Amino acid sequence: DLDEFEITKPIISNLKNIWLAPETIPSDRCQIGFALYQSKKRAGNYKKAYRYLVEANAIQKQLTSYERSLTDQRFKTWLAESEQWLANSPPETEKHYKRPIFIVGMPRSGTTLVEQIISNHSKVRALGELPYAGKCMQEIQSANLPAEQKVLIFRERYNDKVAEHFGEVDIFTDKMPFNFQFLPMLAAAFPEARFIHVYRNPAAVCWSNFENYFRGMAMGFSNTLEDVVHFHASYVSLLDSYSELLSD
């Protein structure tokens, strides 16, 4: 457990040496910066901790080259396609016997805890953060196919990927937070599914995104407070629109 890891003066000294060394590559320096932030925070030296956090995030922002406009455009595209997908959802008689439970929300909102609670049920299997929905959407989004066919292909590919990696499972959780982006598409493809939106205090969730190190491009919005607040506002706006479309 990282919280129980003893941080000694030699460890801090070594971290600082790596942080300042000119040969340290940016990605490594970024991770060291987050480590120094956590160590200073634990010691109660919040001013120094915050400086390391801001610098480490600045490095990560350069590596991801995040642009707010791309997020806005992506959300706008998903929303524009929503009604077409919902209009082509399969009838009740074509439902699959499998029942996904999609747990969505902002990263750091509590989706892991919710999944742990739900998967305590003997009939529910926790599968964690599955990347399949996002990948399937990317694969078929640009395809020149009727919406009805896209819905069926999406459902088939998602189920195939689940079966390929986990075998035959009846009721399972997929707690990929970013699935919130295309809830109507998931609702259309899986009319038998259940959806749980985990909503946490905005200030708490924005800060938690900013103060934690994330690898990869998907979390590029978390590297400045301005970007994470903008992303959160866009997410809330999108989910409000989806709520009007999907009701309960």
Side-chain angles (χ1 to χ4, degrees):
D1 190 332
L2 188 59
D3 291 334
E4 298 175 359
F5 182 81
E6 184 180 3
I7 300 176
T8 62
K9 287 185 178 180
I11 290 177
I12 295 295
S13 178
N14 286 335
L15 288 173
K16 287 182 178 178
N17 288 336
I18 300 172
W19 171 260
L20 296 171
E23 65 270 17
T24 301
I25 62 175
S27 58
D28 290 346
R29 190 164 184 264
C30 175
Q31 293 186 59
I32 294 295
F34 276 96
L36 284 166
Y37 160 70
Q38 292 292 348
S39 64
K40 293 296 181 182
K41 176 186 173 183
R42 196 189 301 184
N45 194 339
Y46 300 115
K47 286 186 177 181
K48 284 189 177 179
Y50 184 70
R51 285 201 293 269
Y52 280 120
L53 178 62
V54 171
E55 287 191 51
N57 269 305
I59 296 170
Q60 186 72 340
K61 183 173 175 61
Q62 289 181 335
L63 294 174
T64 61
S65 302
Y66 173 75
E67 295 183 22
R68 297 181 194 177
S69 59
L70 297 180
T71 292
D72 293 339
Q73 183 57 51
R74 185 169 70 250
F75 287 5
K76 184 178 179 181
T77 298
W78 294 136
L79 182 59
E81 296 179 354
S82 297
E83 292 192 30
Q84 189 177 18
W85 276 72
L86 289 169
N88 287 277
S89 184
E92 292 280 329
T93 55
E94 294 184 18
K95 287 183 180 180
H96 279 201
Y97 68 89
K98 298 178 182 178
R99 178 176 292 177
I101 302 173
F102 294 102
I103 304 170
V104 303
M106 280 284 291
R108 307 293 300 172
S109 63
T111 53
T112 299
L113 177 60
V114 172
E115 181 182 55
Q116 290 172 348
I117 294 170
I118 294 172
S119 62
N120 275 327
H121 194 289
S122 60
K123 293 184 179 180
V124 180
R125 183 174 174 186
L127 300 188
E129 296 185 4
L130 303 181
Y132 312 140
K135 289 182 178 179
C136 290
M137 285 301 301
Q138 290 178 352
E139 290 171 2
I140 65 175
Q141 186 182 17
S142 59
N144 187 21
L145 297 170
E148 182 179 7
Q149 194 171 348
K150 284 186 177 182
V151 171
L152 295 175
I153 292 174
F154 177 77
R155 181 169 65 181
E156 182 179 341
R157 288 186 182 178
Y158 179 91
N159 279 330
D160 285 348
K161 288 179 184 294
V162 170
E164 178 184 351
H165 291 92
F166 299 99
E168 293 298 326
V169 289
D170 295 339
I171 305 176
F172 62 92
T173 55
D174 178 347
K175 75 170 192 74
M176 173 58 74
F178 290 116
N179 283 342
F180 77 77
Q181 298 174 94
F182 28 83
L183 283 181
M185 294 72 170
L186 290 168
F190 299 97
E192 70 276 28
R194 296 293 179 266
F195 299 89
I196 299 174
H197 175 210
V198 184
Y199 186 80
R200 182 184 176 191
N201 176 276
V205 76
C206 287
W207 176 257
S208 188
N209 275 269
F210 181 65
E211 75 163 342
N212 281 280
Y213 170 75
F214 299 100
R215 185 187 303 274
M217 305 292 288
M219 295 293 295
F221 64 85
S222 67
N223 298 129
T224 72
L225 289 172
E226 293 79 10
D227 282 345
V228 74
V229 167
H230 176 268
F231 187 92
H232 187 278
S234 299
Y235 138 81
V236 170
S237 177
L238 184 67
L239 267 290
D240 284 346
S241 297
Y242 284 169
S243 293
E244 293 181 8
L245 284 172
L246 299 174
S247 186
D248 289 336

